[in-house]
């Protein structure tokens, strides 16, 4: 699917991004079961599986949570459907410059915790899955997103 066709399909909810290629994006959740009102913690490991360095938006050390929450967006699902009506605060990304990127060398990896503007304390009891919609370099045109694999977690009483 061309980048333009994908972006149009994504706007109307017909497509999700493909899994990332040059970067292996492994999402984990801890703990796998939480009580209502307690949010789980999400961590991502980005590993460069290509033969060359890859320029990526820097998610390390919570340097720019506004950028991380926008370009490493946690997407929550239940019964295979994206949850779009969750309570959230506004997370508007500010300007991006070259200091917001780093080169991930071939074979290199980086691990970081992710935050979300979604109020996970408000999730009702149930089984959920999550993945990350990733925009590695939002300054390129077109901006083709990709995604991590999915993780599952449970919210219990």
């Amino acid at each position: 699917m061309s980048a333009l066709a994908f972006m149009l399909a994504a706007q109307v909810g017909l497509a999700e991004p493909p899994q990332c290629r040059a970067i292996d994006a492994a999402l984990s959740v801890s703990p796998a079961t939480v009580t209502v009102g307690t949010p789980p913690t999400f961590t991502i490991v980005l590993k460069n599986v290509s033969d060359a360095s890859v320029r990526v938006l820097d998610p390390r050390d919570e340097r720019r949570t506004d950028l991380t929450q926008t370009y490493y967006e946690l997407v929550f699902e239940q019964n295979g459907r994206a949850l779009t009506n969750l309570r959230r605060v506004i997370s508007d990304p500010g300007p991006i410059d070259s200091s917001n990127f780093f080169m991930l060398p071939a074979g290199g990896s980086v691990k970081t915790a992710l935050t979300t503007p979604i109020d996970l304390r408000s999730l009702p009891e149930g089984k959920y899955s999550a993945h990350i919609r990733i925009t590695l370099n939002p300054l390129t045109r077109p901006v083709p997103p990709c995604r991590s694999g999915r993780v599952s977690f449970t919210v219990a009483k």
Side-chain angles (χ1 to χ4, degrees):
M1 179 182 298
S2 75
L4 178 59
F6 171 79
M7 291 188 313
L8 290 172
Q11 289 292 325
V12 295
L14 298 178
E16 70 176 28
Q19 281 201 258
C20 300
R21 291 185 190 161
I23 298 290
D24 177 41
L27 179 63
S28 62
V29 59
S30 178
T33 300
V34 296
T35 56
V36 172
T38 305
T41 300
F42 293 92
T43 303
I44 187 170
V45 175
L46 300 174
K47 182 175 183 185
N48 183 348
V49 294
S50 74
D51 294 331
S53 293
V54 176
R55 183 178 184 211
V56 296
L57 190 67
D58 194 351
R60 301 173 296 180
D61 303 324
E62 297 184 23
R63 288 186 181 126
R64 291 282 308 270
T65 56
D66 60 327
L67 298 180
T68 304
Q69 290 178 353
T70 300
Y71 300 115
Y72 293 92
E73 178 188 9
L74 277 159
V75 177
F76 298 95
E77 301 168 324
Q78 190 172 41
N79 301 321
R81 298 178 56 102
L83 300 174
T84 58
N85 60 345
L86 298 172
R87 290 190 316 186
R88 66 185 309 135
V89 297
I90 294 172
S91 183
D92 188 16
I96 301 173
D97 63 39
S98 61
S99 69
N100 301 125
F101 294 89
F102 78 105
M103 295 301 289
L104 186 58
S109 65
V110 62
K111 178 179 180 178
T112 190
L114 291 178
T115 61
T116 179
I118 295 171
D119 180 10
L120 296 177
R121 295 176 307 221
S122 66
L123 285 176
E125 186 177 1
K127 293 182 186 252
Y128 299 89
S129 63
H131 69 273
I132 304 169
R133 179 182 161 97
I134 302 169
T135 305
L136 293 172
N137 188 347
L139 298 180
T140 60
R141 296 282 184 246
V143 181
C146 61
R147 67 173 172 82
S148 70
R150 286 180 168 78
V151 295
S152 297
F153 64 100
T154 302
V155 176
K157 284 190 176 186

